C-alpha cells in the first residue's frame, strides 16, 4: 500500500510518517524535482515516483536524480478525457516516453497513470461506469496494447479514485487504485452517496 501526494511537501510528510511508496501525482518543475530527489536520497528504501508527459519532464527527473545520486520512479501520464495533461493514448509520444524512462540509468519505469478526476463526481453508478469505460479504461487498454506491441511491458496502471472505485474495478484495466477523498469525506462525494 502506498500513498499519492499532490505536492513535494505532502510526499515528505508521507515518507516521514513511514510510507515506503509515494507517488507524486504531478509532473514537476526543476526545483520540485530536485526536492523530490533529495527526499528519495534521504529515504533510500522507499519507492518515490512522479509523473511525466513530455521529454522535458523526463530530463528534469533524470537531472535531479543524478544530482542527488538516487533513483526516481516515473509513470507516464495518459490523457483520458479531461484535456488537461498527459500523452495521447496509444500514441507515438506515449511509447517514446515509456522507452525513455525504461532506458534511463536513473529512472525506474513504473507504468501508466490514467486518471480522470471529473468522473469522480458523476451522480449515477451506471453513468460513472460508462464514463470510466469510455475514458480511462479505454485509454489504458489501448496504450497497454501499443506499449506491449513495442516491447514495453506495463507493470502498473494506476488511477481512479473514491468516486469510481467500483467502476474502475469492474473495468479491469487498473491494477492500482487511488481512493482518498473518503479520508475527509469530500462534501460532493457525501452528497452523491446520500
Amino acid at each position: 500500500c502506498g500513498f499519492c501526494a499532490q505536492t513535494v511537501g505532502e510526499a515528505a510528510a508521507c515518507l516521514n510518517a513511514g510510507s515506503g511508496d509515494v507517488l507524486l501525482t504531478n509532473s514537476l518543475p526543476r526545483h520540485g524535482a530536485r526536492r523530490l530527489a533529495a527526499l528519495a536520497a534521504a529515504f533510500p528504501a522507499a519507492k518515490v515516483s512522479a509523473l511525466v508527459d513530455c521529454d522535458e519532464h523526463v530530463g528534469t527527473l533524470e537531472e535531479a536524480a543524478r544530482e542527488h545520486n538516487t533513483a526516481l520512479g516515473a509513470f507516464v501520464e495518459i490523457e483520458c478525457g479531461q484535456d488537461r495533461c498527459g500523452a495521447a493514448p496509444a500514441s507515438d509520444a506515449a511509447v517514446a516516453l515509456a522507452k525513455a524512462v525504461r532506458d534511463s540509468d536513473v529512472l525506474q519505469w513504473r507504468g501508466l497513470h490514467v486518471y480522470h478526476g471529473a468522473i469522480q463526481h458523476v451522480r449515477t453508478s451506471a453513468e460513472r461506469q460508462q464514463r470510466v469505460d469510455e475514458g480511462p479504461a479505454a485509454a489504458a487498454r489501448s496504450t497497454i496494447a501499443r506499449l506491449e506491441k513495442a516491447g514495453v511491458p506495463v507493470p502498473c496502471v494506476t488511477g481512479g479514485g473514491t468516486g469510481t472505485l467500483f467502476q474502475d474495478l469492474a473495468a479491469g484495466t487498473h491494477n492500482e487504485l487511488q481512493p482518498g477523498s473518503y479520508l475527509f469525506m469530500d462534501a460532493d462525494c457525501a452528497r452523491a452517496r446520500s
Side-chain angles (χ1 to χ4, degrees), residues 25-85:
T25 55
N26 284 309
S27 49
L28 294 167
R30 182 168 279 118
H31 69 277
R34 286 178 173 154
R35 288 180 56 214
L36 192 69
L39 280 173
F43 294 90
K47 291 186 348 185
V48 179
S49 306
L51 306 183
V52 297
D53 72 359
C54 66
D55 293 336
E56 183 179 350
H57 295 153
V58 174
T60 297
L61 284 183
E62 284 182 317
E63 179 183 303
R66 286 191 184 99
E67 181 180 328
H68 290 278
N69 195 30
T70 192
L72 289 169
F75 286 82
V76 172
E77 174 84 16
I78 300 298
E79 202 291 309
C80 61
Q82 290 197 126
D83 294 325
R84 207 179 94 182
C85 55

Side-chain angles (χ1 to χ4, degrees), residues 84-97:
R84 207 179 94 182
C85 55
S91 63
D92 291 344
V95 173
L97 287 168

Side-chain angles (χ1 to χ4, degrees), residues 141-154:
R141 195 171 284 114
S142 64
T143 306
I144 291 166
R146 178 82 195 275
L147 286 170
E148 289 179 346
K149 186 175 180 181
V152 183
V154 180

Side-chain angles (χ1 to χ4, degrees), residues 114-116 120 136 158-165 168 174 176-179:
V114 190
Y115 174 75
H116 193 311
Q120 306 304 312
T158 187
T162 300
T164 60
L165 180 66
D168 291 313
H174 289 59
E176 179 179 278
L177 296 173
Q178 302 173 6

Side-chain angles (χ1 to χ4, degrees), residues 80-81 116 119 122-139 141 163-164 166-168 170-171:
C80 61
H116 193 311
I119 299 174
V122 170
R123 289 298 185 248
T124 70
S125 179
E127 187 181 354
R128 276 195 310 276
Q129 189 67 63
Q130 180 180 355
R131 300 270 304 273
V132 164
D133 290 344
E134 293 172 354
R141 195 171 284 114
T164 60
F166 297 112
Q167 291 76 25
D168 291 313

